[in-house]
Amino acid sequence: MLQTWKAFYARSDPAKAYSLLSPALILVTLAMLVPLGLMLSFSFFTQISFTEIDYSFTIQRYIDFFQKNLLVSLLIKSVKISFIVTFVTLLTAYPVCYYIAFYVKKNKMLWLVLLTLPFWTSYLLRVFSWKIILGTKGVINSSLINAGLLNEPLTFLMYSETAVIITLTHAWAAFALLPLYVSLDKIDFSLIEAARDLGLSRFETFWKITLPLSLPGIIGAILIIFIPTVGDYVTPALLGGTDGRMLSNMIQAYFGKVNNLPLGAASATIMLITVAIVTIVVSYTTKKLTQRIS
Amino acid sequence: MNNSFIQINGISKHFGNVKAVDDVSFEIKEGEFFSLLGPSGCGKTTLLRLLAGFEYPTSGSLLLDGSDITALPPDKRPTNMVFQNYAIFPHINVEKNVQFGLRKLGLTNDEIIKRVKDVLSLVKLEGYEERYSSQLSGGQRQRVALARALVRQPKVLLLDEPLGALDKKLRDEMQLELRTLQKEIGITFVFVTHDQQEAISMSDRVAVMSEGKIQQMSSPNELYKNPQNIFVSDFIGETNFLKANTELKDGEYINVNIENLGSFKIKNNLNISENASEVICSVRPETMMIDTEKSDWDICLEGKIKQTSYLGEMTKFYVETKEIEKIITVSSQYFDNQSFQDGKCFISINPNDISLLNKK
C-alpha cells in the first residue's frame, strides 16, 4: 500500500504541488476565505436593533448603500484619492527608476536599497511623522511662519485630502519602484539609440519606445499602489479630518461604533468589487497593449 | 567620386583615463566599403559610435560630405546604423520597424509604402511584414535591421559587427550578399569587425586599429601582402617572425642578415636606409614549402614536425628546426601528418616571400 502511494507520489506532479502548497492553502482558507465568506453572508442580513440581527436573505443592504449619498460619494472619493496617489507616485517614481536603469552604472542595487530605506520603519510611524511635518505647528508651517512668509499656518496641509494624498504617496512609493525599475532595466539601450538613429528626438523616442516597452512595469505599479490605497483607513483616520475621510473609515465605523454589520459588510463587498473591476480593466488593457512586447 | 567624403580630423575620445580613440585622422571615399578592424577594446566601435553621434569626441572634428557633423545629435545626421544585436523594436512588426525611420522625412503615404516595399524586396524579406522580432531567425533580424537603416537612404551606413551573431555558413552567405548589395546601391559602408577574414573579403579598404590608433590603412591585398608592423602582420592571418639586422641598401632592395640563416637581399618596403638596425622579418606559412626531401631553394631547413592540425582543405604543420625554434607552415594537398617518417621534413623558403616589418 505504502509502495503504491510512493510510486503514485513520485509520478504525480499535482500531488507534489499540492503537498508543497498545503501549509499556505490551509492558512489562506482559514484566514482569508472563511472571513471573506462570513463577510459576504453578513451583507445579505439585516440589523434589527443594536444587538439583534435578522438572518433572512435580502439584498436590501446593497440598495441601502446606493441610496445613501454619503456612502456613494465616499466610494467615489476613495477611488479618486487612490487614482491621484497612483498617478503622483508614478510621476515621481518613474524618472528615478529611469535614471537608475539607464544612467547608474555601478551599484544599482545600492541605489534601490537606499530608496527603500524609509520603508524600514513601520507604516504607522511614517504616518505620524507626516503629522509632525504637515501639522499647524508642524515643520512646514513653523518654518514658513518663522521665515516671515506666512502670518498664520496653512490649514489645507493637515486634516485634509491633500494630507492623505501626500502621506499615501510617500507610503507606497517604494512598492512602485521595483516593478518600474525592473521593466526599464530590461529595455536594451540600443533600442533607444536605434530610435534616435532613425531620426526621432529624445521626447519622441521616449514616447514611441521607452514608454511602451516599460508598460508592464507601469501597470504593475498601478495595481500595486491602487489596490491597497483604495481601502486604506489608517492614513485618512489620522490625517484626513472630515475632508479626507474615505469609504474604509465608514466601513470601520459600521463594524464598530455604528454597529451595523450587514451594511458594513455590503459596503466592503462593493469596495472589493470596485477594486476587482479596476484591476481587471487595467490588466486587460495592458494585455492588449503589451501582447507584442516580449 | 568624392575622395574625402568622410573626414576624420584628429579625433580623440577619452573615457576617464582610457583613450578609446587616440588622435585618429583619415578619410573615407564616397561609395567605399570601408572596414574598421581590430581586437575588442581597440576603439573601432567607439569610432563608429562617434560617426553615428552616440558619442561626442573629446577633441577633433568630423566632416561628412563637406559639412561639419561633430556636434550633431544622431537624429540630425545623414547616417544610419545596423546594430550588433540588431535592436529590432520588439513591440512593432517588421513593416512598422522599417517604416519607423521614414515618418520624419516628410514623405507622402504612397512614397512610404513604395520605399518599404522596395527595401524589403532588396533584402529578400517580402512576406515577413506582419512578423515580430521574436518570430524571426538571426539572419532575418539582421535583414530587418539592414532594411530599416537603408530605407532612409542614408549617405553613410554604419555597421557594428552585424554578422557576429550568425553561424558560419550564414555569415559567409551574408558577407557576399552585403558586398553585392553595397555595390548595387552605392552607399558608403563603414563596417566594424574583429574578424580579419570578414574585413579582407568584403572591403575596398581596411583600417586596422589597436589601442585607439590606426596601425595600417590599405586595401585588403596590400594589408596581407605588405603589413607595416608586427601587430598588423600578426593580426591579419598567420605568420612567422624572424629576427634580422639590416646591412647595405641596394636600390629598391636591402640586404638583411637573418638570425641563424644568413644574409639575403629582400625588398625594402619600409624604405630603411640605416645600416645594422634591428628589424623583424615576416614569412607567411603558405609561401613556404614542406617536403620529405631537400629542395634547391635558397633557404632549405631540416626540421621535425611537432604538431599537425588537419583543417580539411589543408593541413597545418608546427615544425622545429635547428635554426628557427618554431615554424608554422601549411600544405594544401600533397602532404598530411602520415607523409613524414618520424616527423622528419624539409622546409623551403624563397627570400622573395620575406617581408620587412616595423617593430611598432
Side-chain angles (χ1 to χ4, degrees):
Chain A
M1 183 62 204
L2 188 68
Q3 284 301 316
T4 27
W5 165 241
K6 267 189 176 167
F8 165 75
Y9 188 78
R11 263 182 283 117
S12 167
D13 282 337
K16 282 180 215 154
Y18 281 116
S19 54
L20 284 170
L21 280 174
S22 57
L25 275 177
I26 293 166
L27 193 70
V28 167
T29 313
L30 289 178
M32 270 207 61
L33 289 181
V34 172
L36 213 60
L38 280 174
M39 192 189 73
L40 201 64
S41 31
F42 262 91
S43 71
F44 297 113
F45 302 152
T46 311
Q47 188 93 28
I48 305 166
S49 71
F50 200 75
T51 47
E52 273 177 285
I53 287 175
D54 174 3
Y55 293 102
S56 51
F57 179 86
T58 169
I59 58 157
Q60 187 56 41
R61 300 294 81 73
Y62 290 91
I63 297 165
D64 288 352
F65 182 93
F66 287 104
Q67 277 173 347
K68 284 184 194 265
N69 283 337
L70 175 71
L71 290 180
V72 175
S73 70
L74 280 181
L75 175 67
I76 292 167
K77 187 182 247 173
S78 293
V79 172
K80 187 188 88 182
I81 287 180
S82 262
F83 266 128
I84 296 173
V85 168
T86 309
F87 187 70
V88 174
T89 310
L90 277 182
L91 228 52
T92 46
Y94 195 94
V96 176
C97 294
Y98 187 94
Y99 179 79
I100 300 173
F102 294 127
Y103 293 102
V104 175
K105 298 286 174 226
K106 284 185 234 163
N107 302 326
K108 290 188 177 192
M109 243 14 238
L110 184 71
W111 274 75
L112 287 173
V113 169
L114 285 177
L115 280 169
T116 54
L117 207 61
F119 304 91
W120 296 7
T121 57
S122 97
Y123 175 42
L124 213 57
L125 219 56
R126 273 178 283 137
V127 176
F128 272 110
S129 31
W130 276 108
K131 220 168 169 166
I132 295 168
I133 296 168
L134 300 173
T136 27
K137 287 181 180 163
V139 179
I140 294 180
N141 276 322
S142 46
S143 329
L144 287 175
I145 290 169
N146 287 342
L149 294 168
L150 286 178
N151 292 323
E152 43 190 273
L154 297 167
T155 46
F156 71 86
L157 278 181
M158 192 56 176
Y159 302 121
S160 64
E161 216 178 287
T162 321
V164 175
I165 290 168
I166 292 173
T167 311
L168 283 178
T169 304
H170 176 250
W172 292 96
F175 297 91
L177 289 172
L178 224 55
L180 287 176
Y181 168 74
V182 169
S183 70
L184 282 166
D185 196 50
K186 251 184 11 195
I187 299 175
D188 180 357
F189 196 71
S190 63
L191 293 176
I192 292 167
E193 286 185 336
R196 298 276 282 136
D197 190 59
L198 292 167
L200 267 63
S201 67
R202 277 170 196 283
F203 178 75
E204 288 162 330
T205 301
F206 174 77
W207 196 245
K208 296 264 182 213
I209 304 295
T210 319
L211 194 66
L213 288 177
S214 63
L215 213 54
I218 294 174
I219 302 302
I222 290 176
L223 295 181
I224 272 180
I225 298 164
F226 181 80
I227 295 171
T229 50
V230 89
D232 191 275
Y233 79 90
V234 175
T235 298
L238 291 172
L239 296 170
T242 41
D243 174 44
R245 210 160 21 147
M246 286 161 74
L247 184 59
S248 45
N249 304 107
M250 211 53 217
I251 296 173
Q252 187 213 5
Y254 281 130
F255 280 100
K257 276 179 282 184
V258 182
N259 199 27
N260 189 342
L261 264 57
L263 187 55
S267 311
T269 309
I270 287 167
M271 186 126 147
L272 200 68
I273 292 166
T274 313
V275 173
I277 290 171
V278 172
T279 307
I280 289 165
V281 168
V282 170
S283 314
Y284 180 78
T285 327
T286 332
K287 213 178 166 188
K288 278 274 155 207
L289 287 167
T290 57
Q291 247 166 8
R292 276 127 200 209
I293 307 172
S294 58
Chain B
M1 190 85 68
N2 187 347
N3 273 344
S4 45
F5 191 59
I6 303 173
Q7 289 177 54
I8 294 161
N9 302 323
I11 284 286
S12 291
K13 177 66 184 179
H14 300 176
F15 295 107
N17 290 328
V18 183
K19 292 176 178 173
V21 176
D22 190 9
D23 192 19
V24 164
S25 298
F26 62 93
E27 292 179 348
I28 297 173
K29 296 180 191 131
E30 190 172 1
E32 192 171 32
F33 196 124
F34 188 90
S35 286
L36 290 165
L37 172 67
S40 58
C42 72
K44 58 190 190 302
T45 299
T46 307
L47 194 53
L48 193 78
R49 291 171 59 81
L50 283 162
L51 284 169
F54 299 137
E55 310 281 356
Y56 294 101
T58 312
S59 60
S61 66
L62 292 168
L63 271 75
L64 200 158
D65 203 7
S67 54
D68 192 329
I69 59 162
T70 320
L72 286 185
D75 51 316
K76 299 277 183 285
R77 295 192 185 199
T79 59
N80 280 110
M81 178 120 147
V82 176
F83 289 80
Q84 187 167 14
N85 59 0
Y86 315 136
I88 311 293
F89 304 125
H91 58 304
I92 50 180
N93 63 22
V94 168
E95 189 177 21
K96 296 244 170 69
N97 260 283
V98 177
Q99 277 177 3
F100 198 88
L102 292 178
R103 290 188 210 150
K104 299 287 294 254
L105 294 184
L107 303 172
T108 65
N109 243 350
D110 290 347
E111 280 172 320
I112 289 180
I113 290 163
K114 187 177 180 305
R115 272 216 207 176
V116 170
K117 197 168 168 275
D118 289 349
V119 83
L120 283 178
S121 93
L122 187 70
V123 300
K124 301 179 188 133
L125 268 182
E126 296 125 313
Y128 287 88
E129 288 84 352
E130 302 296 321
R131 299 259 192 122
Y132 288 87
S133 171
S134 55
Q135 302 165 313
L136 298 173
S137 70
Q140 289 164 341
R141 275 181 214 176
Q142 209 259 334
R143 286 162 200 268
V144 177
L146 201 60
R148 189 177 67 179
L150 284 176
V151 79
R152 304 191 81 215
Q153 303 177 349
K155 285 184 175 172
V156 181
L157 186 72
L158 308 167
L159 302 103
D160 186 8
E161 308 215 16
L163 309 178
L166 306 178
D167 58 71
K168 181 152 181 3
K169 196 88 190 159
L170 193 57
R171 196 160 63 218
D172 292 349
E173 243 173 75
M174 284 308 295
Q175 281 177 14
L176 275 177
E177 253 180 65
L178 263 184
R179 180 69 183 156
T180 319
L181 186 78
Q182 194 264 341
K183 289 286 156 246
E184 203 177 306
I185 55 179
I187 290 177
T188 311
F189 275 33
V190 180
F191 188 94
V192 159
T193 181
H194 64 265
D195 184 330
Q196 39 103 359
Q197 180 263 330
E198 197 167 280
I200 286 183
S201 67
M202 296 167 81
S203 322
D204 293 316
R205 277 196 309 153
V206 180
V208 181
M209 283 186 79
S210 161
E211 289 170 353
K213 285 186 182 299
I214 296 211
Q215 300 296 326
Q216 184 169 354
M217 187 161 59
S218 51
S219 69
N221 191 24
E222 188 61 15
L223 209 58
Y224 190 81
K225 289 268 163 64
N226 225 339
Q228 304 272 303
N229 61 29
I230 294 178
F231 178 83
V232 176
S233 178
D234 198 28
F235 195 74
I236 312 291
E238 212 164 7
T239 194
N240 296 285
F241 292 120
L242 309 169
K243 277 189 199 161
N245 280 296
T246 54
E247 292 176 333
L248 279 182
K249 201 180 155 189
D250 182 4
E252 273 187 48
Y253 292 83
I254 188 163
N255 288 296
V256 291
N257 191 340
I258 301 174
E259 201 177 75
N260 298 334
L261 292 182
S263 202
F264 300 96
K265 197 157 115 176
I266 65 173
K267 199 158 191 192
N268 189 359
N269 54 314
L270 296 177
N271 236 341
I272 295 173
S273 52
E274 313 96 274
N275 205 337
S277 72
E278 269 183 36
V279 286
I280 295 285
C281 294
S282 148
V283 52
R284 295 280 185 198
E286 69 278 10
T287 62
M288 293 189 261
M289 185 176 78
I290 186 166
D291 205 336
T292 49
E293 282 159 42
K294 227 176 162 122
S295 74
D296 57 355
W297 290 25
D298 285 2
I299 305 170
C300 184
L301 312 168
E302 187 184 332
K304 194 169 166 56
I305 296 167
K306 287 281 156 194
Q307 215 184 333
T308 56
S309 58
Y310 181 62
L311 303 172
E313 74 270 34
M314 59 171 80
T315 308
K316 197 189 272 183
F317 298 94
Y318 298 85
V319 179
E320 189 185 275
T321 67
K322 223 166 52 228
E323 296 83 357
I324 305 163
E325 209 185 307
K326 188 178 160 196
I327 301 178
I328 303 169
T329 184
V330 292
S331 175
S332 53
Q333 14 209 324
Y334 300 116
F335 302 110
D336 57 29
N337 56 348
Q338 314 280 305
S339 319
F340 302 94
Q341 245 181 0
D342 301 326
K344 192 184 153 186
C345 66
F346 290 91
I347 303 277
S348 307
I349 303 168
N350 185 343
N352 291 334
D353 294 325
I354 300 176
S355 58
L356 281 176
L357 295 177
N358 267 323
K359 277 199 144 175
K360 271 200 100 176

